[in-house]
């Protein structure tokens, strides 16, 4: 089971320990996703992009593996410090799915992947970071499986 960073706290609070955790965002607020007892994560790898906030890396008790996206941000690092490259286009879900495929997965089951902002919230209830999402011209509306209009972003 691969878990995105925002899902870590809700998973651990429900007694579910993922096999791998993926984080890519350099925003310091992402370190809140890791504000939970990480003792059970001592053998769980963290896959991360080098821009993640240093607090995330300091907190992580298990092995850590850096990867790059195809962003120009990593061009010089790719030459001087080669790493694997994972697809990223605005959400950690892209990275997680690409990693699963590169690890040999033929079938994926995406649990908790909203692909929109249900209730106009940025993250799942129970995560360490959840903020209101407002219509600002950067979001689009679509119909969810219940016939309701929900906001989404093109990258979702």
């Amino acid at each position: 089971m691969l878990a995105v960073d925002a899902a870590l706290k809700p998973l651990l609070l429900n007694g579910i320990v993922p096999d791998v955790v993926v984080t890519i965002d350099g925003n310091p607020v992402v370190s809140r996703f890791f504000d939970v007892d990480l003792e059970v994560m001592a053998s769980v790898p963290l896959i991360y992009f080098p821009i993640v906030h240093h607090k995330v890396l300091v907190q992580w008790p298990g092995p850590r593996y850096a990867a790059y996206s195809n962003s120009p941000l990593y061009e010089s690092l790719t030459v001087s410090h080669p790493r694997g490259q994972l697809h990223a286009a605005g959400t950690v879900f892209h990275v997680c799915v690409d990693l699963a495929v590169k690890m040999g997965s033929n079938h994926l089951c995406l649990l908790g992947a909203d692909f929109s902002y249900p209730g106009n919230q940025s993250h799942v209830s129970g995560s360490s970071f959840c903020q209101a999402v407002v219509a600002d011209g950067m979001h689009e509306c679509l119909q969810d499986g219940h016939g309701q209009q929900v906001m989404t972003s093109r990258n979702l």
Side-chain angles (χ1 to χ4, degrees):
M1 175 194 305
L2 280 67
V4 299
D5 47 14
L8 183 60
K9 185 175 182 178
L11 287 171
L12 293 179
L13 291 175
N14 285 284
I16 302 168
V17 178
D19 298 305
V20 176
V21 175
V22 179
T23 189
I24 64 168
D25 198 325
N27 188 330
V29 77
V30 171
S31 66
R32 288 193 221 160
F33 294 152
F34 299 88
D35 285 342
V36 65
D37 183 5
L38 295 174
E39 190 174 310
V40 298
M41 305 304 286
S43 64
V44 175
L46 178 71
I47 308 301
Y48 69 95
F49 284 178
I51 63 168
V52 300
H53 195 270
H54 68 90
K55 185 177 178 185
V56 171
L57 299 178
V58 169
Q59 287 175 277
W60 194 256
R64 300 179 309 237
Y65 300 98
Y68 304 139
S69 73
N70 62 351
S71 165
L73 179 67
Y74 299 114
E75 281 179 12
S76 63
L77 280 175
T78 301
V79 174
S80 62
H81 296 86
R83 298 281 184 271
Q85 193 172 81
L86 296 169
H87 174 75
T91 175
V92 69
F93 269 119
H94 294 150
V95 178
C96 213
V97 168
D98 191 37
L99 178 61
V101 169
K102 287 180 176 168
M103 291 174 71
S105 296
N106 292 322
H107 300 286
L108 301 176
C109 181
L110 302 176
L111 303 174
D114 292 320
F115 302 113
S116 66
Y117 302 109
N120 296 336
Q121 296 297 308
S122 65
H123 291 82
V124 66
S125 178
S127 78
S128 299
F129 178 72
C130 186
Q131 63 183 13
V133 176
V134 294
D136 59 4
M138 294 178 58
H139 297 97
E140 301 175 26
C141 282
L142 54 81
Q143 190 175 29
D144 70 9
H146 303 285
Q148 304 297 313
Q149 290 292 309
V150 292
M151 277 194 294
T152 189
S153 298
R154 198 166 284 269
N155 65 326
L156 296 178

